[in-house]
Amino acid sequence: MAEEVILLDFWASMFGMRTRIALAEKRIKYDYREEDLWNKSSLLLEMNPVHKKIPVLIHNGKPVCESLIQIEYIDEIWPDKNSLLPSDPYKRAHAKFWADFIDKKVNVTARKIWAKIGEEEEASKELIEILKTLENELGDKTYFGDETFGYVDIALIGFSSWFEVYDKYGNVNIESECPNLIAWAKRCLERESVAKALPKSEKITTFISELRKKLGFE
Amino acid sequence: MAEEVILLDFWASMFGMRTRIALAEKRIKYDYREEDLWNKSSLLLEMNPVHKKIPVLIHNGKPVCESLIQIEYIDEIWPDKNSLLPSDPYKRAHAKFWADFIDKKVNVTARKIWAKIGEEEEASKELIEILKTLENELGDKTYFGDETFGYVDIALIGFSSWFEVYDKYGNVNIESECPNLIAWAKRCLERESVAKALPKSEKITTFISELRKKLGFE
């Protein structure tokens, strides 16, 4: 059967970037459809009626929602190329723990820096603690899964394209606080899958600046 | 090698209940260690230094944290008895979506009913909407995974022992609002694994009443 793969996404989403990277690692051709988040398509509302959020992966007509679940699904459906999760159950659980940590902590905290007024200072301190915890877990490994680029790297790398935004609005100097993480991000960006999925930082910073003006923050 | 399985847990935790049920479904003998959450053991702090939370499953000396990750780990390590997750990748992704929904929504909202002052009414309405979404997903199926008790059932059933608390402090009449969910909970409680893992509702209600007095809410 010919595979039909559609991705409903938004270019600046660090969650969408995850799924783009996972599909690229597996060399899957897909139909990328950019969503207008202020005027969501009827397909998005139909495919993700519970959360109404991108990214949505539609595989042969059936939706898979939530980016981490999408990565696991992609890894299970196309197991031949570049395993994204380790096969050992303990290492899998360990990888899931860190992806879950990233999911629960990074965006929730980072949004308080640029999408709220008055919480920037506290959120910036909190974000540095979170990133230092990740820096500590990375240690001197090449990737989070040691020698192999995989699940945890994919879960985190999209945020690196937002670091400039966190620095601009929260004065979070990630480069000096977390040098290993910055070096890791550079290594990840050498991969074609990552380089193609991540927009330039300047583009995201401009987008957020315009969004903040619209919201009356600037 | 003889298996050494230890569970650091707290009797009233709906997250701990998940892991107790999963272990019971697999007929795994383990050493249950009750934690004093106001004076956590050095073993808990050592085994879960990031979140410092129960439940922690320690398998042959190595920790697995976060209850949903524990269920998946248990299912992978002991695959012979009672599969907890479907083997089909699409059904797995679907089950993970609903467990994730429960994780993100139910406790966060329910806590506002009994652990906050002034947010009860809004949180109660929100909780009913969440439970109705789950009631709708359940439909007239026996379990969330159709005929087989599994992952999503395990993710949700522990909350049923807290329904009395939600009713008492938030006036959430789940019985009349979500009759299918109540019937499902009764079916789940017929399983030995569930019956043994869930405390009596009255015990939890008394515990929360005493906790609220300590916190100065009553």
Side-chain angles (χ1 to χ4, degrees), chain A:
Chain A
M1 186 174 71
E3 303 266 13
E4 189 202 45
V5 183
I6 299 169
L7 181 65
L8 309 183
D9 201 351
F10 178 72
W11 68 275
S13 165
M14 56 286 267
F15 305 110
M17 293 175 209
R18 292 173 174 172
T19 310
R20 281 173 244 164
I21 295 169
L23 288 167
E25 287 288 333
K26 300 288 187 178
R27 309 215 188 291
I28 303 303
K29 290 210 172 102
Y30 62 97
D31 177 3
Y32 180 95
R33 299 201 191 161
E34 183 76 4
E35 282 285 329
D36 175 354
L37 298 186
W38 291 265
N39 183 22
K40 293 174 181 175
S41 74
S42 55
L43 185 62
L44 173 58
L45 301 178
E46 181 196 334
M47 290 287 151
N48 190 0
V50 174
H51 298 304
K52 304 177 179 67
K53 283 184 180 170
I54 57 94
V56 178
L57 180 72
I58 310 174
H59 184 210
N60 296 331
K62 292 194 290 186
V64 179
C65 302
E66 298 294 305
S67 58
L68 292 180
I69 297 173
Q70 288 163 3
I71 304 175
E72 293 179 38
Y73 177 79
I74 288 166
D75 205 30
E76 289 174 12
I77 289 284
W78 295 289
D80 297 347
K81 282 197 196 72
N82 299 344
S83 276
L84 304 178
L85 277 129
S87 55
D88 172 72
Y90 187 76
K91 286 184 182 164
R92 285 169 76 83
H94 189 80
K96 286 175 191 169
F97 174 84
W98 284 106
D100 176 75
F101 174 84
I102 292 162
D103 236 35
K104 283 180 179 150
K105 301 280 185 177
V106 183
N107 195 44
V108 177
T109 305
R111 275 186 68 87
K112 292 181 197 159
I113 294 176
W114 63 266
K116 297 249 181 181
I117 293 290
E119 298 182 25
E120 298 87 347
E121 203 180 318
E122 200 182 330
S124 300
K125 279 184 200 159
E126 213 181 304
L127 182 63
I128 281 296
E129 285 315 304
I130 292 164
L131 294 177
K132 279 187 174 171
T133 301
L134 289 164
E135 166 114 347
N136 186 48
E137 167 61 15
L138 177 65
D140 54 10
K141 299 195 293 278
T142 308
Y143 298 112
F144 278 90
D146 220 335
E147 290 307 310
T148 319
F149 176 83
Y151 191 58
V152 183
D153 304 297
I154 296 174
L156 184 60
I157 189 62
F159 288 96
S160 72
S161 60
W162 284 71
F163 283 177
E164 197 176 287
V165 170
Y166 309 153
D167 191 12
K168 182 172 175 183
Y169 298 105
N171 206 12
V172 186
N173 194 334
I174 300 168
E175 190 131 8
S176 67
E177 297 274 5
C178 304
N180 283 357
L181 214 57
I182 295 292
W184 159 86
K186 283 184 185 149
R187 275 195 299 280
C188 291
L189 274 161
E190 287 166 12
R191 292 182 82 84
E192 196 185 341
S193 67
V194 177
K196 285 197 173 168
L198 268 57
K200 296 269 176 239
S201 293
E202 306 86 76
K203 198 179 162 195
I204 292 179
T205 309
T206 304
F207 163 66
I208 291 300
S209 171
E210 282 167 8
L211 184 62
R212 284 169 56 95
K213 276 178 200 148
K214 261 196 223 172
L215 295 168
F217 290 180
E218 290 188 18

Side-chain angles (χ1 to χ4, degrees), chain B residues 151-163:
Chain B
Y151 191 57
V152 183
D153 305 296
I154 296 175
L156 185 61
I157 189 61
F159 288 96
S160 71
S161 60
W162 284 71
F163 283 177

Side-chain angles (χ1 to χ4, degrees), chain B residues 110-194:
Chain B
R111 275 186 69 88
K112 291 181 198 158
I113 294 176
W114 63 266
K116 297 246 182 186
I117 293 290
E119 298 183 25
E120 299 87 347
E121 202 180 320
E122 199 182 331
S124 300
K125 279 185 201 158
E126 213 180 304
L127 183 62
I128 282 296
E129 284 316 303
I130 291 164
L131 294 177
K132 280 186 173 170
T133 301
L134 289 164
E135 167 114 346
N136 186 48
E137 166 61 16
L138 177 66
D140 53 10
K141 300 195 294 274
T142 309
Y143 298 112
F144 279 89
D146 222 334
E147 291 307 310
T148 318
F149 176 84
Y151 191 57
V152 183
D153 305 296
I154 296 175
L156 185 61
I157 189 61
F159 288 96
S160 71
S161 60
W162 284 71
F163 283 177
E164 197 176 288
V165 169
Y166 310 153
D167 191 11
K168 181 171 177 186
Y169 299 105
N171 206 12
V172 187
N173 194 335
I174 300 168
E175 191 129 9
S176 67
E177 298 273 5
C178 304
N180 284 357
L181 215 56
I182 295 292
W184 160 84
K186 282 184 186 148
R187 275 196 297 282
C188 291
L189 274 162
E190 286 167 12
R191 292 182 82 83
E192 196 187 340
S193 67
V194 177

Side-chain angles (χ1 to χ4, degrees), chain A residues 63 66 72 90 96 104, chain B residues 63 66 72 90 92 96 104:
Chain A
E66 298 294 305
E72 293 179 38
Y90 187 76
K96 286 175 191 169
K104 283 180 179 150
Chain B
E66 298 294 307
E72 294 179 38
Y90 187 77
R92 285 168 75 83
K96 285 176 193 170
K104 281 179 179 151

